[in-house]
Amino acid sequence: MLGISISVFIFYDVKKYLLYSLIFFAALVGTMTRGGWLSLAAFCFIGLFFILKRKNALKRAIIIVISFMCIFFAMNYFKGGEIKDRFETIKDDISDVTHSSGSGRVAIYEASTYIIKSKPLLGTGPSNFWEGIKEFAPSSGFWWNEQPNVIVDKAHNEYLNIASTTGIPSLVAYILLVILILKKVFENKDDDKFKVLLIVILGYLIQALFNISVVSVAPIFWIILGVSSNPKIIKEIK
């Protein structure tokens, strides 16, 4: 939703979408979700290439950036620097990768590889990631083995989660589906509506490297994929 609101304000100068963008950005900062932050940075960088030669759009992009900076520093101030500290852990995790990096995600990613190697075709079955870890991952050397009350029920990477629970062919089918849809969108990239969809889809795919599909988000993403699969529908959208 943040990708849509930012894009609509910048491309079409609809003022109320600036307000929506500020609300969504504040919500994103408040979640302390670093994968979402990285996704925002990535699709903003991608979007920049669409407006480099558009003076008015660049002005609106600068307004967005300044507004976001004000919100970030204000929220960080009232949270006693907690948000800035959280942001700086991104650099720390990249420079020194350990099992605890990414809030323990690196260890989960490694464990998922044992599942994929053991059950490459069909995986463990939907929502059986934890069962796969218990059966196929080593019984020592991972942080959850020291915490008996902890259950790691997802891979915290949508692609690894699909491969682990429903198999590599399932992941390949998903990736091919997305590629075919992106191809249609990219072929019409001269239309700003397709630029918006491209930014939103890529933003989701990037954050999916660090998170999983959840009920509150997945339906919106699949609706966007459905709309994007038919250029005739997009061209009729006002």
Side-chain angles (χ1 to χ4, degrees):
M1 299 306 294
L2 179 57
I4 291 173
S5 60
I6 292 174
S7 300
V8 171
F9 173 67
I10 292 176
F11 290 133
Y12 299 104
D13 193 22
V14 183
K15 299 295 189 297
K16 63 182 179 180
Y17 280 87
L18 173 60
L19 175 61
Y20 299 157
S21 298
L22 301 182
I23 294 171
F24 291 140
F25 177 75
L28 176 62
V29 173
T31 64
M32 306 288 279
T33 304
R34 295 173 297 175
W37 298 351
L38 290 172
S39 175
L40 170 62
F43 72 62
C44 284
F45 182 76
I46 294 167
L48 179 62
F49 286 95
F50 293 141
I51 61 172
L52 283 175
K53 297 181 180 180
R54 298 167 63 170
K55 186 176 180 181
N56 290 331
L58 276 172
K59 287 181 179 178
R60 292 190 286 273
I62 292 171
I63 291 172
I64 285 278
V65 171
I66 294 174
S67 300
F68 283 1
M69 289 177 65
C70 291
I71 290 174
F72 180 88
F73 287 115
M75 292 181 68
N76 182 66
Y77 174 78
F78 287 111
K79 292 282 286 184
E82 182 180 346
I83 296 174
K84 180 175 177 290
D85 292 341
R86 177 71 170 169
F87 186 81
E88 289 178 346
T89 61
I90 297 175
K91 180 180 68 176
D92 296 336
D93 283 349
I94 293 173
S95 61
D96 184 22
V97 178
T98 65
H99 264 192
S100 61
S101 297
S103 299
R105 279 174 170 77
V106 170
I108 299 173
Y109 298 162
E110 182 181 337
S112 69
T113 63
Y114 288 98
I115 300 174
I116 296 170
K117 289 176 183 177
S118 302
K119 305 283 286 186
L121 293 179
L122 296 177
T124 60
S127 298
N128 275 317
F129 185 77
W130 178 236
E131 299 303 320
I133 284 184
K134 289 190 295 183
E135 183 172 353
F136 302 114
S139 58
S140 61
F142 292 101
W143 53 265
W144 53 81
N145 292 319
E146 309 300 325
Q147 303 177 43
N149 294 324
V150 171
I151 293 176
V152 181
D153 63 336
K154 303 292 181 183
H156 292 280
N157 175 304
E158 190 163 335
Y159 313 106
L160 289 176
N161 201 75
I162 293 173
S164 299
T165 58
T166 54
I168 293 175
S170 177
L171 175 61
V172 171
Y174 173 69
I175 292 174
L176 286 176
L177 172 66
V178 173
I179 288 174
L180 289 172
I181 292 172
L182 283 175
K183 183 175 180 291
K184 286 188 176 183
V185 174
F186 195 77
E187 287 172 350
N188 296 274
K189 65 182 184 302
D190 292 336
D191 186 328
D192 284 344
K193 286 176 285 189
F194 289 85
K195 292 185 178 74
V196 175
L197 290 168
L198 183 63
I199 288 169
V200 171
I201 293 172
L202 290 177
Y204 178 89
L205 295 175
I206 291 167
Q207 67 80 36
L209 291 167
F210 312 101
N211 297 293
I212 56 169
S213 178
V214 294
V215 173
S216 58
V217 178
I220 300 173
F221 177 64
W222 283 96
I223 288 170
I224 291 171
L225 285 183
V227 171
S228 302
S229 69
N230 191 335
K232 292 181 180 179
I233 295 177
I234 304 171
K235 291 176 180 178
E236 293 175 359
I237 296 174
K238 295 182 180 179

